[in-house]
Amino acid sequence: MPYKKTAQEVIDFLKSDISGLTEKAAKESLLENGFNELKATKKVSSFKLFFESFKSTLVLILLIVVLIQLFFGEFVESLVILIVLIFNALLEVIQTKKAETSLENLKKLSAPNVKVIRDKKKLTIPARELTLGDIVILEAGDYVPSDGRIIEAKTLKVVEGILTGESEPVLKNLETIIDGTPLHDRKNMVFSGTMVVYGRGIFIVTAIGMNTELGKIANLLENAEVKKTQLQIKLDNFSKKLGIGILFLAIVIFGVEFLREYFAVISRKDIIKVIFDTFMFSVAIAVAAIPEALSSIVTIVLAVGTNDMAKKQAIIRKLPAVEILGSTSVICTDKTGTLTQNKMTVVDFFMSGIDKNYLTRSKTNDSFQIKMLNLISVLCNDSHVNKDGKKLGDPTEIAFIDYFNKNLGNLEEIKKEYKRFYEIPFDSTRKIMTTINKIDNKIFMLTKGAPDIIFSKCKYILHNNEIMEVEKNKNLLNEYKNKNENFSANTFRVLAFAMKEINDFSETKIYTDDEKDLSLVGIMAMMDPPRKEVLYAIQEAENAGIKTIMITGDHRSTAFAIARQIGIIKDKKIAITGEELDKMSAVDLAKNLINIRV
């Protein structure tokens, strides 16, 4: 596996080079390995789908009934049954065709073009022409076009929610990883269909097309075994028992009636007529016993259910699948993007000496402290909005942009007004980012980052717009530390903001050693909030006797807090980790399952 090897070992194994493949080698590899694209299996024709719906036992029995009734001249009743069966078949074909979009949606996640290095030159080529050993350049806003081993990373952050379900971007690195590491922890790899939100990097292609992790999902979708629903199984069993019962009944009736007629007939010349009349009587009784309206009723009920689901933006591929909703007793759901909005959002603040209620409703610049907190959050920030209006960057930084645009003003105007002269980018070692900006004809160093790191670099604290020394006012810093712990306990992501006025900025650069003697301005808390409709939906499910269980890759405390907030966890219900689940015996699991909710 590439993640277990060093970058150079992967390059050597794929017979590539840091300066890229030659055009000749790329063409040979393309011929050998095929194009970098997801391949769909041949779709079942509408004609075949139509006739497949006639395979159920009940439908076959009804078709036999139609033939018998036609023989008896019952044309109207036969026509009604045929119309219902045809309607049922057409409805299933339409629903199936509507739902055959899963693979097409996955294909849309592939990048149309990609930047590669070939023959020591930087080129832009169609993503489908990418091949094993290609050296690919990634920048913020790019979709990753294939799976690959990272060979260079400059604060490279990638959102891998499509594969892992996590909205938080993953900071990539070059370190080798031990065997058996789960997909979401393979930080030296990038995967097809994921998106770069921050920094830049270079990787070597290790898998393309259907061999990528995304391709494996596409393959599962194509080859998933189609199983019958409980309704289909019960209807088939009922139809078989009904068929056998009616056949037995017809034979008994035929035997009894034949014997009665046989002994009543004086002339043995009429025996053939007796047999024919008795047979026709038995068939008539058998046909009458068949509930031909059953198929119609089932189809109509399922069609109504399907229509209701469609109004709620849920496409049902097979009509009988609607019935599953009626017999559901447990719902197992993902958290990120399902129960939550999959979008980091600013939810709380703390600023020493500033009333939070005033802070959240203030859109003016009458408070220097409030103004600086808001400015630092968007000026010391590398996220941006492209020409198409799409926000690119780290989800945390985008949260600050969203808050600013919604509550305080236009971001682009602010960036033009308060020019940036220089920056020290965020990195995983320092855990902070710094920029130099001109604000109201003064030069300021603006810094944001992990609260503990920022606290350690602050010599001063802004308290109700006044600058106070930390040494003389340690209680103020303790306030911040306590508030940070409270936010963290509620599973919020917290960032701290600080500043320093620079009187003499004649240099064109600043250094990490300059990130000291700062003034602490405030902290902001963010989270991926629950969807507004989720609380009601979970309560409605509970009222219907349906238990909801959350399954997520998040930390236990984060998942527990969200579950408690939306009503999944109440009373003595618990959350367990995958590791704890693996250690449970079947007996222990059965014993504890009634209380497990996360």
Side-chain angles (χ1 to χ4, degrees):
M1 300 296 287
Y3 65 85
K4 297 189 296 183
K5 301 177 181 178
T6 65
Q8 190 57 52
E9 285 174 340
V10 176
I11 291 171
D12 293 341
F13 177 78
L14 293 172
K15 298 177 183 178
S16 185
D17 189 88
I18 193 68
S19 59
L21 293 172
T22 63
E23 283 296 334
K24 181 182 177 182
K27 288 178 181 178
E28 290 175 353
S29 180
L30 202 60
L31 287 172
E32 181 181 350
N33 300 296
F35 287 110
N36 175 41
E37 58 188 2
L38 301 181
K39 299 175 182 177
T41 56
K42 188 178 180 181
K43 292 183 179 180
V44 179
S45 68
S46 299
F47 189 74
K48 186 176 180 181
L49 284 172
F50 179 80
F51 282 101
E52 278 184 350
S53 65
F54 288 88
K55 287 183 178 179
S56 76
T57 308
L58 182 59
V59 172
L60 291 174
I61 290 175
L62 288 174
L63 287 174
I64 293 171
V65 170
V66 168
L67 292 174
I68 293 172
Q69 288 187 327
L70 286 173
F71 180 78
F72 281 119
E74 298 288 344
F75 297 107
V76 175
E77 196 167 337
S78 300
L79 184 61
V80 171
I81 295 174
L82 267 178
I83 289 173
V84 171
L85 293 177
I86 292 171
F87 172 74
N88 181 30
L90 288 173
L91 204 56
E92 287 204 19
V93 171
I94 292 168
Q95 290 300 127
T96 301
K97 288 299 178 182
K98 275 185 179 180
E100 284 182 343
T101 56
S102 299
L103 185 57
E104 282 71 18
N105 288 337
L106 287 176
K107 285 182 176 181
K108 291 176 184 177
L109 294 171
S110 302
N113 294 301
V114 59
K115 298 180 285 291
V116 300
I117 300 174
R118 285 186 180 173
D119 285 325
K120 301 181 181 180
K121 297 177 183 177
K122 183 178 176 181
L123 305 171
T124 299
I125 64 170
R128 71 189 299 268
E129 295 180 9
L130 208 59
T131 190
L132 297 181
D134 259 325
I135 306 297
V136 181
I137 301 169
L138 292 176
E139 295 174 345
D142 289 346
Y143 276 106
V144 179
S146 66
D147 290 2
R149 173 63 160 90
I150 295 172
I151 58 179
E152 182 181 313
K154 300 292 184 182
T155 324
L156 181 66
K157 291 184 180 181
V158 183
V159 172
E160 298 178 342
I162 183 178
L163 297 175
T164 65
E166 297 307 310
S167 58
E168 194 69 22
V170 179
L171 182 64
K172 298 296 182 176
N173 58 50
L174 296 156
E175 298 175 7
T176 54
I177 301 172
I178 61 172
D179 191 16
T181 301
L183 187 72
H184 59 269
D185 285 331
R186 296 177 192 173
K187 296 183 179 179
N188 60 8
M189 297 285 293
V190 287
F191 304 102
S192 179
T194 59
M195 185 179 183
V196 179
V197 295
Y198 196 88
R200 62 184 182 85
I202 299 174
F203 75 92
I204 180 170
V205 176
T206 58
I208 59 172
M210 297 300 286
N211 292 321
T212 63
E213 295 298 329
L214 189 66
K216 292 174 184 176
I217 294 175
N219 190 55
L220 285 173
L221 288 173
E222 288 295 331
N223 297 297
E225 182 183 351
V226 179
K227 294 184 178 181
K228 290 185 176 181
T229 68
Q230 286 299 311
L231 178 63
Q232 288 174 310
I233 293 171
K234 289 176 181 177
L235 281 176
D236 278 351
N237 289 338
F238 170 75
S239 301
K240 289 173 184 176
K241 291 176 182 177
L242 180 66
I244 293 171
I246 289 174
L247 181 62
F248 177 76
L249 179 65
I251 292 172
V252 170
I253 290 173
F254 176 82
V256 172
E257 186 66 14
F258 174 76
L259 290 174
R260 188 181 70 82
E261 291 288 341
Y262 178 80
F263 290 111
V265 174
I266 298 174
S267 172
R268 296 293 180 261
K269 295 179 181 179
D270 295 328
I271 191 67
I272 294 176
K273 184 177 182 304
V274 169
I275 293 173
F276 180 77
D277 288 345
T278 304
F279 175 76
M280 297 307 291
F281 178 72
S282 301
V283 170
I285 293 294
V287 170
I290 294 174
E292 55 264 26
L294 178 61
S295 180
S296 309
I297 293 168
V298 170
T299 300
I300 291 168
V301 170
L302 293 179
V304 170
T306 301
N307 187 52
D308 287 343
M309 293 297 291
K311 289 177 181 177
K312 297 179 180 180
Q313 291 78 50
I315 298 299
I316 303 298
R317 183 169 184 175
K318 297 286 186 182
L319 281 180
V322 179
E323 174 265 343
I324 294 174
L325 294 174
S327 57
T328 297
S329 58
V330 178
I331 296 173
C332 293
T333 175
D334 181 34
K335 178 185 77 68
T336 307
T338 305
L339 300 177
T340 65
Q341 298 176 20
N342 196 20
K343 178 183 177 183
M344 292 299 287
T345 305
V346 176
V347 293
D348 213 339
F349 314 82
F350 178 72
M351 301 179 73
S352 182
I354 300 291
D355 178 27
K356 188 172 76 172
N357 293 324
Y358 172 72
L359 171 65
T360 53
R361 68 172 180 262
S362 174
K363 296 187 180 182
T364 66
N365 291 331
D366 57 345
S367 168
F368 175 72
Q369 194 170 348
I370 293 175
K371 176 182 177 179
M372 290 307 296
L373 178 70
N374 292 324
L375 288 179
I376 296 169
S377 70
V378 292
L379 295 178
C380 186
N381 187 324
D382 280 337
S383 295
H384 65 283
V385 181
N386 66 13
K387 295 178 181 178
D388 299 324
K390 186 176 182 180
K391 294 164 189 162
L392 302 174
D394 186 283
T396 300
E397 292 191 332
I398 290 175
F400 297 137
I401 290 177
D402 287 339
Y403 174 79
F404 193 90
N405 283 338
K406 181 179 178 181
N407 298 288
L408 299 159
N410 186 281
L411 176 64
E412 296 306 315
E413 291 179 3
I414 292 296
K415 285 190 172 183
K416 288 178 183 177
E417 182 179 354
Y418 303 118
K419 183 181 176 183
R420 179 191 292 188
F421 293 103
Y422 192 72
E423 71 170 291
I424 304 177
F426 172 88
D427 69 51
S428 57
T429 303
R430 290 166 46 252
K431 296 183 179 179
I432 60 175
M433 173 184 178
T434 295
T435 63
I436 301 296
N437 294 77
K438 186 176 182 179
I439 301 174
D440 299 336
N441 296 317
K442 295 179 182 178
I443 302 298
F444 285 92
M445 175 186 287
L446 309 179
T447 304
K448 80 168 191 301
D452 291 343
I453 305 297
I454 294 291
F455 295 163
S456 68
K457 293 180 178 293
C458 287
K459 186 178 180 180
Y460 306 97
I461 290 179
L462 262 69
H463 175 77
N464 196 17
N465 300 306
E466 293 183 19
I467 296 179
M468 319 283 282
E469 283 191 42
V470 171
E471 282 298 319
K472 297 179 181 179
N473 299 274
K474 290 187 178 179
N475 61 310
L476 298 181
L477 185 59
N478 288 333
E479 268 190 295
Y480 273 103
K481 289 180 178 179
N482 291 335
K483 198 64 180 177
N484 177 46
E485 288 177 4
N486 290 338
F487 283 155
S488 299
N490 285 305
T491 70
F492 295 156
R493 183 173 186 190
V494 186
L495 286 187
F497 302 84
M499 61 166 217
K500 180 170 70 174
E501 186 177 346
I502 303 174
N503 295 320
D504 182 18
F505 183 67
S506 56
E507 298 292 329
T508 56
K509 289 187 178 182
I510 54 171
Y511 302 92
T512 55
D513 291 342
D514 296 317
E515 295 172 322
K516 62 182 180 180
D517 299 337
L518 304 175
S519 296
L520 182 59
V521 178
I523 58 177
M524 284 187 176
M526 294 146 289
M527 69 176 296
D528 181 8
R531 294 181 183 273
K532 293 179 181 179
E533 62 272 23
V534 162
L535 187 61
Y536 170 76
I538 288 172
Q539 186 59 52
E540 195 174 23
E542 187 175 318
N543 293 340
I546 301 172
K547 179 169 68 175
T548 304
I549 296 177
M550 178 197 294
I551 301 176
T552 177
D554 274 0
H555 191 274
R556 187 215 300 259
S557 60
T558 303
F560 188 90
I562 291 289
R564 185 175 55 190
Q565 185 178 352
I566 61 180
I568 287 180
I569 286 184
K570 295 178 181 177
D571 305 323
K572 296 181 180 179
K573 306 309 179 189
I574 62 172
I576 64 168
T577 65
E579 186 179 357
E580 290 170 342
L581 185 64
D582 290 339
K583 291 178 181 178
M584 281 187 181
S585 66
V587 175
D588 290 337
L589 180 59
K591 183 179 177 181
N592 291 295
L593 198 56
I594 192 170
N595 291 318
I596 295 172
R597 288 295 182 274
V598 176

